[in-house]
DNA sequence: CTGAAAGCGCTTACAG
DNA sequence: CTGAAAGCGCTTACAG
C-alpha cells in the first residue's frame, strides 16, 4: 500500500513547513501569494488529497450525515430512490456526505442503533421512512441531532419534515365533491403509518365540512398494521369514488375494479397519492398528489445541518404538495344521477 | 456543544490510563479480566462511543466505501434501489459503511471526481450503473480501488461484476425458438450501454446457431445513445416475438401493441429483462430474466474489500441470472403457422 | 510572511 | 497486568 501524500510531503519537497502548506491549501491568510500558488501547484502534481479525518478527529465533526431507511420502506416504496438522490446531492452541495444505512427488521425490533452511530461516523441522522414508536423514542434519546423525513412520530418531539398529508387529502376530497361525488371511500389502514392516518383525516374533514355522513363501510384496509400489504375487500355497495392512500394501492384497486367489470372513471373514480411511478402506470392515469420531494429534502438537510451547529428545534414542518389532475376522475352530473 | 466522552474520560474516572481503556474496550490482551469488565461497564454508563476517525487518521483507512451512481440511472432504473439496500447491508455486515454519491451529468461531463474522493472519505469506490468511457478511464487512474457494478467499460481494465447478459439473452432467445418462433426482433439501442449491447449479442448468437438469418429491420432502437428514451417505431412486418432489453421497455411495447389491436401473447410474444417492477405490472406478466442482485452485490463488496487489503485484480465477473417463465410467450404450432 | 509547539482521540510498540 | 511515549494528518493559537 502506497502511503498517501500528506501536507508534510509537500512541505518537504518545497522546503517550507506544513503549517504554511495548510494555510495555502485552505486559502487562509498568512502565506505569500507566490508561495501559495507554488504550493497549490505542487500539491496538484503530487496528487495530494486532503485528509478530512484529521480535521474530524480534531473537531469531532465528520461532515457525514447518516441516512437511515427502514428495510420495509426501501422495499415497497420505490419512490424513495428520488429521496436518496436528492439527499445525496443536497448534502454534497453543502459539503456533507450521506452515509446510507438500511435498518433491518431485526435492528428495529431489538432497538439497536446503526453502527455508524456507535462509531461516530456521522454528525447527525436523517430517518427516511417510518420507524416504530419505540425506535423513534430511542432516536430521540441519542446525543446527535436527528430529523425525521416523510413521517413523524406522535409520541416523540423529534423535528420532522412531512408532506402535508392532511391538507392534501382534504383538497383532493374536496375536488371529488366539487365534481359531484358524495359516496367516497378511503382505502388505507389508518393504524399503519402517520401518513395514512393523516390522509384519512383530511378526507374525513372534507366529508364533514360538506355535510356528508362518514360511512364506516367506506374505510377499507389495504395492509396490516406492520405494513404488510393484504388483499383489498371491496365494499358491498360501490361508492362513486375511492381516495387511496398511495398510487400503488390506487393502481391495485383500479385493476381489481376493472376485473370486476367496472370502468374507470366512467363507473368509479379513483384518486391516488404520491405521484410516483404507479400514477402514470395506471390506466387511466391517476389524479393524485405530487409530493414535493425537492423542497422536503432541502428542508431536512437544512435542519440537520443547523441542528449540528446550534441544536435548534424545529418541530413538525409540513410541506405542501400539488394536486395533479389526470384522467381517473369523472364529473358526475347530479341531475342525471338523480334520475337513475 | 457537549464534547463526546473519550477513552481518557473513562480512564480519569477509573484512575487508570487510556491505554488500558483502549485494550479493555477492544478486547485486547493486557488487562485484568476484572478491570476490563469495570471499564466496559463505565464506558456504557458514560455513554461512550468509539471514535473511528482517530483510527482512520492513524491507519489511513476510513472503513467507508463510496457508492457512486450516475444520475441518469437512479432516475429511470428504479430497481437500483434494491442494489442500494443490498450494498449497504452487505457492507455493514463487513464492518464498512456506504457513502452514497449521485454523480451529476455535469460532474461526469467535466470529469470531476466526487468530493468524497478528494477528501479521503472512502477506501474504495463501487460504481453502480454505467458511466461514459472517459469517466471510466478517469476512475481507472485514481489511487483507491474501484469496482464497477452492473456494467463494464470495454476500454478500461477495471474489475467489474456484471449480470451475464450475453448468456441470459442467448438462453431467452433459445427459449423463444424452442417455442416455435423464428421471426424475432430485438428492442434496444445497442450503442447505449454495454448491457444492451451484450443482450443483443446473446440474441444474435441464438439466431445464428439456429440458422435464422438476422433481419436488420428487427433491431429496433428504444433510446438515444445517451440513454434518453425515445418513441419506439414498430417494424412494418410484425415479428412473432420481441426480445426487449429491459422490462420497462417490454412494458411499453406491450401497451403499444395492445393499442394497435395486437393481443399478447396470442398474436405477439414479448420477453423482458431484469425482473423488476415492470415485469409483473405488465399484463400479461412478462417472461423475463431475474438478475441475481444478492450474488452480484456480495461479489462486488467482497472484491472491493479485498482490493483495499491486497490490491488484487479480478477482471470481469459475470453472474448468471435466471429465466422466469410467466405469461407473455405463446408456443407457436409450426404446422398451423404454415397453413396460414 | 513563516513556522515551532500543542492538541484532537486513538493505537502500537516498548518498558516496568 | 499496567502505562508513558510517540505518532497518524491536520489546525490553531502564538512567537518571531
Amino acid at each position: 500500500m502506497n502511503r498517501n501524500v500528506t501536507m508534510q510531503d509537500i512541505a518537504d519537497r518545497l522546503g517550507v513547513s506544513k503549517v504554511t502548506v495548510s494555510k495555502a491549501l485552505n486559502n487562509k491568510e498568512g502565506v505569500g501569494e507566490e508561495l501559495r500558488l507554488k504550493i497549490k501547484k505542487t500539491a496538484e502534481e503530487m496528487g495530494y488529497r486532503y485528509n478530512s479525518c484529521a480535521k474530524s478527529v480534531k473537531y469531532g465533526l465528520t461532515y457525514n450525515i447518516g441516512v437511515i431507511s427502514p428495510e420495509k420502506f426501501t422495499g415497497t416504496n420505490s419512490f424513495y430512490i428520488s429521496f436518496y438522490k436528492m439527499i445525496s446531492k443536497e448534502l454534497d452541495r453543502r459539503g456533507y456526505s450521506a452515509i446510507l444505512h438500511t435498518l433491518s427488521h431485526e435492528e428495529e425490533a431489538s432497538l439497536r442503533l446503526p453502527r455508524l452511530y456507535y462509531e461516530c461516523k456521522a454528525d447527525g441522522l436523517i430517518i427516511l421512512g417510518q420507524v416504530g414508536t419505540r425506535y423513534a423514542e430511542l432516536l430521540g434519546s441519542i446525543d446527535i441531532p436527528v430529523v425525521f423525513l416523510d413521517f413523524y412520530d406522535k409520541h416523540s418531539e423529534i423535528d420532522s419534515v412531512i408532506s402535508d398529508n392532511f391538507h392534501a387529502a382534504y383538497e383532493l376530497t374536496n375536488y371529488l365533491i366539487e365534481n359531484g361525488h358524495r359516496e367516497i371511500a378511503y382505502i388505507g389502514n389508518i393504524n399503519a403509518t402517520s401518513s395514512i392516518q393523516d390522509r384519512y383525516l383530511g378526507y374525513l374533514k372534507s366529508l364533514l365540512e360538506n355535510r356528508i355522513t362518514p360511512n364506516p363501510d367506506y374505510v377499507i384496509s389495504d395492509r396490516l398494521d406492520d405494513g404488510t400489504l393484504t388483499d383489498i375487500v371491496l365494499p358491498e355497495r360501490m361508492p362513486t369514488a375511492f381516495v387511496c392512500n398511495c398510487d400503488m394501492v390506487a393502481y391495485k384497486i383500479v385493476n381489481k375494479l376493472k376485473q370486476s367489470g367496472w370502468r374507470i372513471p366512467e363507473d368509479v373514480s379513483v384518486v391516488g397519492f404520491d405521484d410516483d411511478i404507479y400514477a402514470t402506470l395506471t390506466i387511466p392515469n391517476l389524479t393524485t398528489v405530487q409530493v414535493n420531494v425537492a423542497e422536503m429534502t432541502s428542508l431536512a438537510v437544512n435542519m440537520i445541518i443547523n441542528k449540528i451547529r446550534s441544536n435548534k428545534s424545529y418541530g413538525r414542518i409540513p410541506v405542501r404538495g400539488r394536486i395533479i389532475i389526470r384522467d381517473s376522475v369523472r364529473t358526475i352530473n347530479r341531475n342525471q344521477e338523480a334520475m337513475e
Side-chain angles (χ1 to χ4, degrees), chain A:
Chain A
M1 284 271 100
N2 52 336
R3 203 177 51 83
N4 272 334
V5 178
T6 70
M7 288 189 179
Q8 189 60 260
D9 296 331
I10 301 173
D12 291 347
R13 168 85 69 102
L14 256 29
V16 297
S17 85
K18 64 182 173 188
V19 176
T20 305
V21 174
S22 171
K23 285 173 187 159
L25 261 24
N26 288 299
N27 294 317
K28 296 235 165 99
E29 56 182 16
V31 211
E33 211 41 49
E34 204 175 331
L35 181 54
R36 159 169 285 139
L37 253 43
K38 199 159 84 180
I39 289 172
K40 284 195 172 180
K41 191 159 148 280
T42 309
E44 178 85 45
E45 280 169 18
M46 297 177 74
Y48 173 75
R49 290 185 292 142
Y50 178 82
N51 187 332
S52 58
C53 279
K55 194 173 170 190
S56 296
V57 70
K58 197 158 166 59
Y59 296 101
L61 289 173
T62 60
Y63 290 89
N64 291 144
I65 302 294
V67 178
I68 316 292
S69 201
E71 194 161 24
K72 59 177 177 227
F73 277 95
T74 42
T76 55
N77 205 334
S78 62
F79 102 113
Y80 272 29
I81 201 162
S82 48
F83 269 118
Y84 281 148
K85 189 163 66 167
M86 286 274 188
I87 292 172
S88 66
K89 290 192 80 165
E90 187 67 14
L91 283 175
D92 190 67
R93 214 175 58 73
R94 306 285 234 98
Y96 281 79
S97 297
I99 296 190
L100 192 60
H101 181 89
T102 303
L103 191 71
S104 67
H105 295 292
E106 199 268 325
E107 278 175 308
E108 193 177 340
S110 58
L111 299 178
R112 218 170 54 239
L113 289 164
R115 196 166 39 74
L116 65 87
Y117 170 73
Y118 287 117
E119 294 185 350
C120 298
K121 278 194 166 185
D123 305 334
L125 304 179
I126 292 177
I127 314 298
L128 175 59
Q130 183 136 11
V131 295
T133 291
R134 308 256 334 261
Y135 204 83
E137 277 166 6
L138 173 64
L139 288 167
S141 73
I142 69 179
D143 53 1
I144 57 175
V146 175
V147 168
F148 289 162
L149 180 53
D150 199 38
F151 79 106
Y152 64 91
D153 186 89
K154 52 181 172 296
H155 304 295
S156 98
E157 298 293 303
I158 291 181
D159 298 329
S160 320
V161 177
I162 52 175
S163 65
D164 194 343
N165 291 309
F166 177 79
H167 190 264
Y170 167 72
E171 286 201 319
L172 198 54
T173 313
N174 283 348
Y175 170 77
L176 288 170
I177 293 172
E178 283 159 21
N179 278 277
H181 294 270
R182 297 191 65 84
E183 308 273 303
I184 306 171
Y186 180 79
I187 303 187
N189 176 347
I190 62 175
N191 299 314
T193 70
S194 54
S195 302
I196 298 179
Q197 191 169 77
D198 291 349
R199 289 169 185 187
Y200 164 71
L201 291 170
Y203 149 89
L204 191 58
K205 178 182 167 67
S206 171
L207 295 191
L208 296 175
E209 271 194 8
N210 286 280
R211 311 277 170 213
I212 298 172
T213 311
N215 177 345
D217 293 344
Y218 281 177
V219 180
I220 300 155
S221 182
D222 64 333
R223 66 190 74 191
L224 305 179
D225 287 1
D226 71 1
T228 313
L229 293 171
T230 57
D231 214 37
I232 297 169
V233 182
L234 293 175
E236 291 209 357
R237 182 180 149 75
M238 189 57 70
T240 66
F242 286 95
V243 174
C244 302
N245 79 84
C246 67
D247 290 336
M248 190 260 290
V249 162
Y251 175 86
K252 277 177 70 175
I253 201 80
V254 163
N255 287 338
K256 201 184 177 78
L257 287 167
K258 279 184 189 165
Q259 272 165 32
S260 314
W262 300 90
R263 293 164 308 160
I264 320 295
E266 291 80 358
D267 303 325
V268 187
S269 296
V270 174
V271 295
F273 238 101
D274 294 341
D275 193 34
D276 64 21
I277 188 173
Y278 287 98
T280 48
L281 246 34
T282 308
I283 313 271
N285 286 186
L286 293 173
T287 289
T288 185
V289 176
Q290 187 177 63
V291 174
N292 195 337
V293 173
E295 170 78 5
M296 288 174 70
T297 301
S298 140
L299 270 170
V301 164
N302 210 39
M303 277 161 69
I304 197 74
I305 292 176
N306 287 342
K307 284 171 75 72
I308 289 164
R309 303 212 236 262
S310 67
N311 214 15
K312 158 172 186 194
S313 204
Y314 287 87
R316 281 205 266 284
I317 313 237
V319 174
R320 281 284 173 93
R322 195 159 67 91
I323 294 188
I324 310 285
I325 310 275
R326 293 207 183 88
D327 313 314
S328 63
V329 174
R330 175 197 163 204
T331 303
I332 295 183
N333 182 322
R334 290 277 190 81
N335 300 330
Q336 194 180 318
E337 191 82 340
M339 290 194 307
E340 286 177 16

